[in-house]
Amino acid sequence: MTTIYATTAPDLKTDGIYAPSAPCGNTGCAPQPQQTVTVTVTQTRFLRNTNRRSLLSSAIFWFLVYGGMDLAQSVGWNQPVSVILVSPEFQYSWFIGVIIGACVSALTMTFIPKIAYYLLGGIMQLTGAIIFTSAPYEYTAILAARYVGGVGIGLITVPFLLHIGEISTQTRGVDSAMEQVALAMGLCIQVTYDTEWSRSLDISANLLHGILGIIFSVFGLLFVLVSVESPVFYIRRNQEEKARQCQQMLVAGNVPKTVNALFEEARLYVVESESRSLGEELSASVMPFCKLFFFRCFVAFTLALPLTWSIVGSTAISEGSIFAWPLYVWSALRLISTLFTICALDTLGRKGVSLVGLLCMAGLMLGMAGIYATPANIYSWYNMGQVCNLGLAFQAFAGLFICSSSPYLGEAFPMRVKPFFVGLIVACEQVIHIIVIVAFKPTTDYLFQYFLIVGIIMLLGVIFFAIVMPETKKLTLRKAGERFQRVHNVSPY
């Protein structure tokens, strides 16, 4: 059972949207009450989300799963099995590619349909996977493949976050958070076969990486063909007939009342943004940017090179091998926790779940810093076992935090400037990864300093986000944007 509320805005005098009809007397025109249309539709969840899931299957469960595998290589899950020299450039090359792709898509998305970015990004990922397969031992070729694959992910990620935010309301949290679920799934695949791979095999692990990439990219490209463009894209170009056709395809069963209600909400969203000047939109974006910049950058700290070195080193000492069970559980816990979290984003909400995850991560990271404060502890079987357990728990709670960042990015900014700010924040997230890789030193002293500083930052982040982050579950983009523009949002609901 789905109930949709569409409220018209009486203060918008734009032609075709609102026309005053109340009689006017000596005291002026009477204020117009808001008109609310309630539409109740009974349909199965599968039918309601068919077209949305096609989009998610193409952009997430295929393209971004392979992107998660590349991400895992970037944060250290390649060194035990790689037969080529792994340099810092090899690790941060993918992040540079993502920055390029995110900036290109952000600057051009206003003029080009989002489906085009999925096709181009998928082709670039397919190209990178083919290079991995054809030249698994050539460092220069593999490095080029990582740049190309990174650009593909950047071209896909920014349009997807905006696209899914525009076509989904009641389940926007679940639909948007599939970005993080897919990355976690790719991480789990990469860590699993990377840990299992044997040096005695005659083929390179890069060959398997490329084969899986080809499979994921081909399936993704096929699913793109059945994806639906956002009605907002055509409404902005005064192509209402095309916009309505897209809205009809997004509503299972093509229920007229539901289509009309959702279409009217999308049109009000566009009109409300177009009625403001560019300066007003930029001014309204300052507070959302300050909130989302720190929130999304914290996602980078949940999967970083120091965490990889810590779990591998602590496992080797406590279990006597770098191929023991904690490595498999480490990545699986992140995936399982993201799957659990997406079930809560549209019921319990984004804010409370993410704050619980961030608070627990801060405590666990400070706990690891306390153990690494004494250099002799790295030779202790007991202490390294505790570090291993803390690292496992950290990934379990990381999944609670990271999923909320995806729907937040799709909701936070005014329509006209949203692509630029989302692209900028995604690029800044990659810069955090690059800084950590370049500055990383595999020493106990560095691990202590890193975990201590990041743990304190996360603890401060809990206080900051508890005050300023809004709860936006089941809200329209207009209402969610209004909450992000407030300075404080202490209420947890």
Side-chain angles (χ1 to χ4, degrees):
M1 180 76 68
T2 302
T3 303
I4 300 173
Y5 300 94
T7 303
T8 59
D11 56 336
L12 294 176
K13 304 292 192 295
T14 308
D15 292 341
I17 299 301
Y18 172 75
S21 58
C24 297
N26 297 330
T27 57
C29 293
Q32 295 296 305
Q34 290 189 341
Q35 300 176 355
T36 302
V37 180
T38 303
V39 181
T40 302
V41 183
T42 302
Q43 48 183 283
T44 64
R45 178 175 292 275
F46 174 78
L47 290 175
R48 187 172 67 246
N49 294 324
T50 298
N51 288 298
R52 296 175 186 174
R53 295 302 180 185
S54 298
L55 170 65
L56 292 172
S57 296
S58 62
I60 296 299
F61 271 112
W62 303 115
F63 294 146
L64 291 184
V65 167
Y66 183 45
M69 295 172 62
D70 284 334
L71 173 61
Q73 280 193 330
S74 302
V75 295
W77 294 103
N78 50 41
Q79 298 184 21
V81 299
S82 180
V83 296
I84 62 176
L85 178 64
V86 177
S87 65
E89 184 183 5
F90 178 89
Q91 293 177 302
Y92 63 65
S93 57
W94 186 79
F95 296 118
I96 292 179
V98 175
I99 293 174
I100 295 173
C103 292
V104 170
S105 61
L107 293 173
T108 59
M109 200 184 311
T110 305
F111 315 102
I112 302 175
K114 298 177 181 64
I115 303 300
Y117 295 98
Y118 303 147
L119 289 171
L120 179 58
I123 292 173
M124 297 192 73
Q125 281 201 288
L126 179 60
T127 303
I130 292 174
I131 296 174
F132 260 97
T133 305
S134 59
Y137 300 101
E138 297 293 332
Y139 175 77
T140 304
I142 295 298
L143 187 63
R146 287 179 54 76
Y147 276 111
V148 172
V151 173
I153 287 296
L155 289 173
I156 292 170
T157 301
V158 177
F160 169 77
L161 292 173
L162 273 67
H163 194 168
I164 200 64
E166 292 172 353
I167 67 175
S168 179
T169 301
Q170 297 297 310
T171 59
R172 188 186 298 124
V174 174
D175 298 336
S176 301
M178 298 306 291
E179 177 216 12
Q180 294 299 326
V181 174
L183 292 175
M185 187 179 296
L187 170 71
C188 189
I189 294 172
Q190 178 71 26
V191 171
T192 299
Y193 86 72
D194 194 58
T195 305
E196 279 291 324
W197 208 262
S198 173
R199 288 179 180 271
S200 62
L201 296 178
D202 295 331
I203 61 176
S204 169
N206 290 327
L207 180 61
L208 178 60
H209 184 93
I211 292 173
L212 292 176
I214 292 174
I215 295 173
F216 294 148
S217 299
V218 169
F219 274 100
L221 288 170
L222 292 176
F223 275 97
V224 164
L225 300 178
V226 295
S227 299
V228 181
E229 183 58 65
S230 168
V232 172
F233 178 80
Y234 292 112
I235 293 175
R236 295 185 66 184
R237 283 151 190 77
N238 295 322
Q239 299 177 355
E240 291 199 5
E241 186 60 32
K242 287 186 176 181
R244 189 173 291 276
Q245 291 174 0
C246 291
Q247 191 66 72
Q248 289 171 347
M249 288 186 286
L250 290 168
V251 176
N254 190 17
V255 182
K257 289 185 178 180
T258 307
V259 172
N260 293 336
L262 294 175
F263 181 79
E264 184 66 16
E265 176 59 37
R267 190 164 61 169
L268 287 173
Y269 175 64
V270 174
V271 170
E272 194 173 87
S273 177
E274 297 291 349
S275 65
R276 294 191 295 258
S277 66
L278 181 60
E280 290 174 333
E281 294 244 307
L282 291 173
S283 177
S285 301
V286 173
M287 187 54 61
F289 178 78
C290 294
K291 298 175 183 180
L292 266 301
F293 172 80
F294 292 106
F295 197 96
R296 186 73 178 195
C297 286
F298 276 26
V299 174
F301 290 128
T302 67
L303 189 63
L305 193 57
L307 289 169
T308 301
W309 276 82
S310 178
I311 190 64
V312 172
S314 60
T315 299
I317 295 175
S318 61
E319 300 294 330
S321 172
I322 61 171
F323 305 105
W325 65 268
L327 300 186
Y328 304 98
V329 176
W330 186 81
S331 60
L333 284 173
R334 186 182 182 96
L335 174 60
I336 294 171
S337 64
T338 55
L339 291 172
F340 168 79
T341 303
I342 63 172
C343 298
L345 291 180
D346 292 311
T347 54
L348 299 178
R350 297 97 150 101
K351 182 174 181 178
V353 174
S354 61
L355 288 178
V356 170
L358 184 59
L359 177 61
C360 294
M361 284 194 300
L364 293 167
M365 190 160 278
L366 290 174
M368 287 188 284
I371 296 176
Y372 281 118
T374 304
N377 286 341
I378 65 171
Y379 305 106
S380 168
W381 171 85
Y382 174 79
N383 287 312
M384 287 298 98
Q386 297 303 309
V387 170
C388 180
N389 294 334
L390 291 173
L392 295 176
F394 182 89
Q395 290 304 319
F397 287 104
L400 298 180
F401 174 76
I402 61 178
C403 288
S404 297
S405 67
S406 301
Y408 274 156
L409 279 175
E411 297 166 338
F413 301 101
M415 182 191 67
R416 283 194 292 173
V417 298
K418 184 182 294 186
F420 309 111
F421 283 104
V422 172
L424 177 59
I425 290 175
V426 171
C428 290
E429 178 189 359
Q430 316 312 314
V431 172
I432 297 296
H433 281 292
I434 295 173
I435 293 174
V436 173
I437 291 172
V438 172
F440 177 73
K441 298 177 182 178
T443 63
T444 306
D445 186 53
Y446 177 86
L447 291 176
F448 163 68
Q449 295 176 3
Y450 176 85
F451 289 139
L452 179 63
I453 294 173
V454 175
I456 293 174
I457 292 175
M458 286 185 171
L459 196 59
L460 295 175
V462 173
I463 302 173
F464 176 70
F465 294 139
I467 297 174
V468 303
M469 292 302 289
E471 179 51 65
T472 59
K473 66 177 181 180
K474 299 186 183 300
L475 293 180
T476 64
L477 287 179
R478 293 189 298 131
K479 295 299 182 182
E482 290 174 3
R483 290 196 178 185
F484 267 104
Q485 293 169 23
R486 299 176 187 171
V487 175
H488 59 82
N489 292 272
V490 182
S491 175
Y493 54 85

